[in-house]
Amino acid sequence: MISTKLKDQFIRFAVVGGICTAVNYVIFIALINFTEIHYLVASTIGFLTGLVTGFYINKNWTFSRDDEANKSYFMKYLLLYSFSLAVNLFILDFLVENYHVSEIFAQVVATGTTVLSNFFGSKMLVFKA
């Protein structure tokens, strides 16, 4: 049986993820449409912007950690999401280059693959909430 706390945290994580994904995609699409930046660079910039946004909201709202270990939490969060970014970029590039999927759709697929690992990694490794 799944605990109420776990359900609440996952719902909050999903809301924060939606916000961060929106930030990520707005930046990604703007860079793709209005600059000459390569789609992998655009994805990285969008991802990092969403990462910083997500860290602060997840720390303070999803997992309710308001102690002074900000630097420690952020380093763990950064490591977790660096792995996530690597997986995201691999899937994005694989779909675009091998299957000629549009960059925007491939980014949706790549992002969707990392949701559960990001939640459980944040919960168990970063914030231990």
Side-chain angles (χ1 to χ4, degrees):
M1 192 86 186
I2 298 175
S3 74
T4 301
K5 180 180 178 182
L6 183 64
K7 285 180 195 175
D8 289 346
Q9 286 178 334
F10 187 78
I11 290 168
R12 287 178 182 212
F13 186 82
V15 170
V16 173
I19 293 167
C20 295
T21 299
V23 168
N24 180 343
Y25 279 103
V26 165
I27 291 172
F28 175 73
I29 291 169
L31 291 171
I32 290 292
N33 289 325
F34 301 113
T35 71
E36 298 292 320
I37 292 178
H38 191 273
Y39 66 89
L40 293 177
V41 175
S43 178
T44 301
I45 293 169
F47 186 91
L48 292 173
T49 305
L51 175 133
V52 171
T53 303
F55 171 75
Y56 288 103
I57 300 172
N58 277 320
K59 179 185 169 294
N60 295 307
W61 185 56
T62 305
F63 300 109
S64 299
R65 303 301 301 205
D66 41 336
D67 51 19
E68 296 300 316
N70 271 349
K71 196 178 275 189
S72 171
Y73 287 139
F74 189 73
M75 292 309 297
K76 292 175 188 175
Y77 197 82
L78 185 60
L79 287 172
L80 172 66
Y81 278 80
S82 293
F83 174 76
S84 182
L85 175 60
V87 170
N88 181 287
L89 293 176
F90 174 80
I91 293 169
L92 175 62
D93 191 52
F94 182 79
L95 292 174
V96 170
E97 297 300 326
N98 295 306
Y99 292 100
H100 309 290
V101 174
S102 77
E103 293 95 344
I104 293 171
F105 181 73
Q107 180 73 339
V108 171
V109 172
T111 300
T113 61
T114 60
V115 171
L116 287 177
S117 64
N118 289 343
F119 172 72
F120 286 108
S122 292
K123 178 172 178 51
M124 294 189 276
L125 302 173
V126 178
F127 300 112
K128 297 180 183 175

